[in-house]
Amino acid sequence: MNYDHILIRYAELALKGKNRHQFERKLQENINIALKPYPNAKLERTFGRMFVHLNGADHEPIMETLAKVIGIHSFSLAIKVSNELEQMQKGALEAVLQILDGKKTFKVTAKRANKDFPIDSQRLNYEVGSFILKNTEDLTVDVHVPDIDVRVEVRETSTYITCANFKGIGGLPVGTGGKVVLMLSGGIDSPVAGFLAMKRGVIIEAIHFHSPPYTNERAKQKVIDLTQVLTEYGGKVRLHVVPFTNIQMLIQKDIPSNYRMTVMRRMMFRISEEIAYQQKAFAIATGESLGQVASQTLHSMYTINEVTNMPIIRPLVTVDKLEVIELAKKIGTYDISILPYEDCCTIFLSPETKTKPLREKANRFEAKLAIDTLVNEAVSNIEVIDIIPGKRTDSKFEDLL
């Protein structure tokens, strides 16, 4: 007997009502897409669990892949046996022996999804535990903090035995919550915001504001690379690269320096809203954190929000910078985000940005701009790049030399 399956658990989906099967089907679909590089591995969905039949495939890369699938709460390598006590005992012993490696204590936790199985959970704990004790040396029972927790799951047709849990990302399967557009700058925060938005089940389309020649192709490639990382968690992501140079130059020319950031953000929201409408998205997600910079004070958010009726999702609004950095490192975006290629926000950043901008003044200053024309020009000249998981996408090579 060998570990020949991976048992997948999904906690939050169990709280769903009559639409639970829709969430489970979407998770199944997402896992099947993630498992495409491993043709021998086959996924099976049952009520409350999914199982990957390894069929000889190496479990390690498959488990690394599952660790990035949003919606999975935890997973375990499992040995599958028939619903016969003798087979359960032998399977549990084999499962323990394969991971023993100096461990001293264990306990057995039996669970019967199949209520027709004639042995109750307490009795099954004893029968399997005593068999392990009789057939091992220097291994004792510790029901409180065991080195090995032998879990015996009795299901309708088979029993699955596991000895270790691996934590998944959790959340809701991507694709169950509609679509949002993500304002993706290239810094540390917005990729993390995109990841957290996806954890609530939404599909994201990213929007990047690009201002050549003030921002170069390296800055654009940086955003493409960040988007590539996000595809590992949510599948294909469409990136909209918005030409923003003209708008920024006009803001620089016509708007007082202490309101330039406010007006620039309002223009970004207007453009993002238009893209959201075109792409049938229902919200705009940003990496804003309350109080982090001048454009992210409560007063600034109030003034900037005026230009859109679209819901604004700010997953990081109450999160401090160190927490964001920690999460960025965990999901693999941090090292890319800190590359020294500036985005359009930092290039034109005024040293005297207003922290309490007023709507009345913003509107008065913006009267000098042909708002609708500028938004339409920007949206009509967008470059669209579809970023595919596992497939490298490069910007214009000559500009990277």
Side-chain angles (χ1 to χ4, degrees):
M1 294 179 184
N2 290 308
Y3 285 102
D4 51 4
H5 288 70
I6 298 174
L7 184 156
I8 297 172
R9 308 175 187 86
Y10 32 95
E12 190 171 353
L13 302 194
L15 302 176
K16 298 297 179 186
K18 293 180 180 178
N19 60 348
R20 170 177 169 166
H21 67 283
Q22 296 174 5
F23 288 81
E24 292 185 352
R25 273 209 303 265
K26 190 61 190 175
L27 178 60
Q28 181 183 19
E29 181 182 322
N30 293 348
I31 295 173
N32 273 325
I33 292 172
L35 292 179
K36 276 188 176 177
Y38 316 102
N40 286 348
K42 302 299 179 187
L43 183 66
E44 176 191 4
R45 176 164 69 95
T46 65
F47 185 78
R49 293 283 187 271
M50 292 188 200
F51 301 92
V52 177
H53 300 246
L54 290 172
N55 296 318
D58 184 357
H59 68 269
E60 290 190 2
I62 292 177
M63 292 176 73
E64 289 175 7
T65 298
L66 294 176
K68 293 183 175 179
V69 177
I70 292 174
I72 294 178
H73 175 262
S74 67
F75 52 92
S76 302
L77 267 177
I79 291 178
K80 179 183 178 181
V81 298
S82 64
N83 284 352
E84 298 171 7
L85 177 60
E86 182 181 354
Q87 290 300 308
M88 295 177 191
Q89 291 171 321
K90 289 180 178 177
L93 176 62
E94 189 60 36
V96 169
L97 291 176
Q98 289 188 29
I99 65 159
L100 195 55
D101 193 24
K103 298 179 177 64
K104 298 296 184 184
T105 61
F106 79 103
K107 75 170 183 178
V108 176
T109 306
K111 182 178 180 181
R112 296 182 313 145
N114 177 4
K115 300 302 181 187
D116 293 330
F117 186 71
I119 304 175
D120 66 32
S121 298
Q122 288 300 322
R123 184 68 187 174
L124 197 53
N125 288 344
Y126 170 78
E127 294 289 351
V128 174
S130 59
F131 186 82
I132 294 172
L133 279 174
K134 288 175 187 173
N135 290 280
T136 54
E137 296 179 356
D138 302 325
L139 196 61
T140 59
V141 173
D142 182 344
V143 297
H144 300 292
V145 191
D147 295 330
I148 305 171
D149 184 1
V150 184
R151 297 193 175 194
V152 180
E153 279 203 31
V154 184
R155 304 193 69 81
E156 290 301 319
T157 58
S158 304
T159 294
Y160 294 84
I161 299 161
T162 67
C163 288
N165 277 0
F166 299 89
K167 193 174 180 182
I169 290 176
L172 299 174
V174 174
T176 57
K179 184 191 290 183
V180 306
V181 293
L182 167 72
M183 293 169 64
L184 186 63
S185 68
I188 295 171
D189 300 339
S190 53
V192 175
F195 168 76
L196 292 176
M198 286 193 291
K199 271 195 74 175
R200 299 318 301 160
V202 301
I203 295 169
I204 62 168
E205 291 201 14
I207 299 172
H208 178 64
F209 294 90
H210 189 45
S211 295
Y214 303 100
T215 57
N216 59 30
E217 289 298 316
R218 289 181 175 87
K220 181 175 156 187
Q221 183 64 48
K222 178 180 170 183
V223 171
I224 292 172
D225 292 344
L226 287 169
T227 309
Q228 189 81 59
V229 175
L230 293 178
T231 66
E232 296 174 14
Y233 301 94
K236 185 180 86 171
V237 176
R238 175 161 288 183
L239 172 63
H240 303 263
V241 181
V242 180
F244 206 53
T245 309
N246 185 42
I247 292 175
Q248 285 202 288
M249 295 299 291
L250 290 171
I251 291 173
Q252 186 83 359
K253 171 175 166 287
D254 293 331
I255 305 298
S257 60
N258 59 351
Y259 267 75
R260 286 174 190 160
M261 178 59 75
T262 303
V263 172
M264 184 185 73
R265 296 292 291 175
R266 284 162 64 100
M267 291 300 294
M268 287 178 168
F269 272 72
R270 289 184 175 104
I271 294 168
S272 297
E273 181 185 67
E274 184 59 32
I275 296 171
Y277 284 138
Q278 291 185 6
Q279 301 303 316
K280 296 182 170 53
F282 294 98
I284 299 169
T286 79
E288 292 166 305
S289 175
L290 189 58
Q292 188 176 115
V293 295
S295 66
Q296 297 174 21
T297 64
L298 206 53
H299 293 77
S300 288
M301 290 181 184
Y302 174 75
T303 298
I304 292 167
N305 273 26
E306 184 189 18
V307 301
T308 178
N309 291 318
M310 189 74 69
I312 309 299
I313 297 177
R314 295 181 170 95
L316 307 182
V317 72
T318 62
V319 182
D320 71 37
K321 193 69 176 183
L322 291 178
E323 292 173 289
V324 177
I325 289 172
E326 185 179 346
L327 190 48
K329 289 179 178 176
K330 187 176 178 181
I331 65 174
T333 56
Y334 179 77
D335 288 341
I336 302 172
S337 290
I338 61 174
L339 291 174
Y341 308 129
E342 295 181 293
D343 58 42
C344 66
C345 295
T346 53
I347 290 287
F348 289 91
L349 182 64
S350 168
E352 49 186 11
T353 298
K354 199 81 171 172
T355 57
K356 296 182 180 180
L358 301 175
R359 288 184 172 187
E360 296 77 10
K361 286 191 175 181
N363 282 305
R364 175 151 47 89
F365 296 143
E366 283 179 347
K368 301 175 183 176
L369 303 175
I371 300 290
D372 292 343
T373 301
L374 291 173
V375 170
N376 290 335
E377 282 180 358
V379 172
S380 62
N381 288 290
I382 283 174
E383 178 187 4
V384 175
I385 306 171
D386 286 328
I387 313 291
I388 309 298
K391 185 177 179 181
R392 169 82 181 174
T393 303
D394 288 324
S395 187
K396 295 177 184 176
F397 182 75
E398 62 270 22
D399 291 326
L400 297 175
L401 296 175

